[in-house]
Amino acid sequence: MAVDYKLIGNRIKSERTKKKITQEKLAEYLDVSVGYISQLERGITKISLDRLSEISDYLDCSITYFLSGSSISSSDYLLDDINQQLKKMSSQHRILLYQILKLIEEQAEKS
């Protein structure tokens, strides 16, 4: 699976602007140029996990959000991803998945 640096950059920009943090402030915190931040946000420059971790700390956001679009700390973790997968499935596969979920639910109730 290829890493989508443009998507990661879009998520960084989204979180940064949501928190009203300028590219300049983020660049200053990371001790990098504003141009570097701009390139990250446009997906032109690849980002290391260490740098992504620094950004997630500064923006107080889970690194998993930048990588997958979901945050394990949110109550609806993976729901968007699951819904996307459901839309791709045939009706037969949806029925099968529903039956599996019902079995899991029944087992959980017995425990």
Side-chain angles (χ1 to χ4, degrees):
M1 177 171 99
V3 176
D4 189 342
Y5 291 100
K6 188 169 186 166
L7 187 57
I8 291 170
N10 286 337
R11 290 175 181 150
I12 291 170
K13 181 178 182 178
S14 173
E15 280 302 303
R16 179 184 59 74
T17 55
K18 190 187 321 178
K19 295 185 170 139
K20 297 180 179 17
I21 296 172
T22 64
Q23 285 185 337
E24 290 80 8
K25 279 190 166 192
L26 181 56
E28 183 180 323
Y29 173 79
L30 297 173
D31 196 27
V32 298
S33 70
V34 175
Y36 175 76
I37 299 299
S38 175
Q39 289 177 353
L40 282 180
E41 290 182 350
R42 291 181 288 144
I44 295 170
T45 299
K46 293 180 179 181
I47 187 169
S48 71
L49 287 176
D50 289 336
R51 182 67 74 190
L52 192 58
S53 178
E54 288 178 279
I55 292 171
S56 69
D57 287 344
Y58 184 70
L59 297 178
D60 194 28
C61 182
S62 170
I63 195 170
T64 58
Y65 167 72
F66 294 129
L67 295 171
S68 69
S70 299
S71 174
I72 57 175
S73 61
S74 70
S75 60
D76 59 352
Y77 172 61
L78 290 180
L79 282 181
D80 289 338
D81 292 340
I82 291 169
N83 283 326
Q84 288 176 5
Q85 293 301 317
L86 283 171
K87 289 176 185 176
K88 295 177 188 176
M89 287 182 170
S90 68
S91 59
Q92 283 182 311
H93 285 129
R94 287 182 192 168
I95 291 168
L96 179 60
L97 181 60
Y98 176 77
Q99 291 169 343
I100 292 168
L101 290 172
K102 290 298 286 180
L103 286 172
I104 292 170
E105 181 182 22
E106 289 170 10
Q107 283 301 112
E109 288 174 357
K110 291 178 183 178
S111 302

